[in-house]
Structure formats: structure tokens, C-alpha cells
């Protein structure tokens, strides 16, 4: 599994996923300095029969955070 950029880190499932089973892939996106709409992709390689390459895409809206007065 590999993210499309260095601002996204993905964790592989700890256990193999059986055929027909389900699993989760957790991804963390570092939004620092990336306000606005961000499109990110995770490229997943699996040992499936017909297709081995998959892409998971997500869109994140990052809003600028207001600084608090001291």
C-alpha cells in the first residue's frame, strides 16, 4: 500500500483478509498548510484473482483555523 503523497500515512491491516471477507485500512492526513479541498489516493496491491491494483480515494475539506487571543 502506498499513499499518493508524503502528507498521508496508511496502516496495513494486521491480519490477512480472507476471500469474501472485510477489513479496514486506516489513513492519517497531515493537513498543516493545506487549506481548501484536498484529493488524496491510496494505492493498494492485493493478491486477488483478476485484479491486483486498487485505488482508494478520499476528499478532505480543510478550513483555516482561527488563532485564539491570548
Amino acid at each position: 500500500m502506498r499513499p499518493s503523497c508524503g502528507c498521508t500515512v496508511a496502516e496495513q491491516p494486521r491480519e490477512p483478509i480472507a476471500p469474501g471477507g472485510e477489513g479496514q485500512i486506516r489513513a492519517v492526513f497531515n493537513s498543516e498548510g493545506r487549506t481548501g479541498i484536498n484529493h488524496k489516493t491510496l494505492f493498494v496491491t492485493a493478491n486477488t484473482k483478476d485484479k491486483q491494483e486498487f485505488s482508494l480515494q478520499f476528499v478532505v475539506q480543510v478550513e483555516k483555523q482561527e488563532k485564539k487571543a491570548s
Side-chain angles (χ1 to χ4, degrees):
M1 178 173 359
R2 93 188 136 77
S4 59
C5 69
C7 62
T8 305
V9 177
E11 295 176 12
Q12 286 186 250
R14 292 183 183 181
E15 299 293 324
I17 301 169
E22 294 183 8
Q24 290 185 343
I25 297 173
R26 179 184 164 120
V28 178
F29 169 63
N30 180 353
S31 64
E32 185 175 343
R34 294 179 172 85
T35 57
I37 296 175
N38 291 266
H39 297 265
K40 299 299 166 189
T41 305
L42 297 176
F43 298 100
V44 179
T45 302
N47 62 350
T48 50
K49 194 184 250 184
D50 296 326
K51 183 179 177 184
Q52 287 79 40
E53 298 291 323
F54 300 88
S55 62
L56 306 174
Q57 300 176 350
F58 59 97
V59 179
V60 178
Q61 172 73 36
V62 179
E63 296 179 4
K64 189 172 184 173
Q65 191 173 22
E66 297 292 327
K67 292 184 180 184
K68 294 182 179 182
S70 311

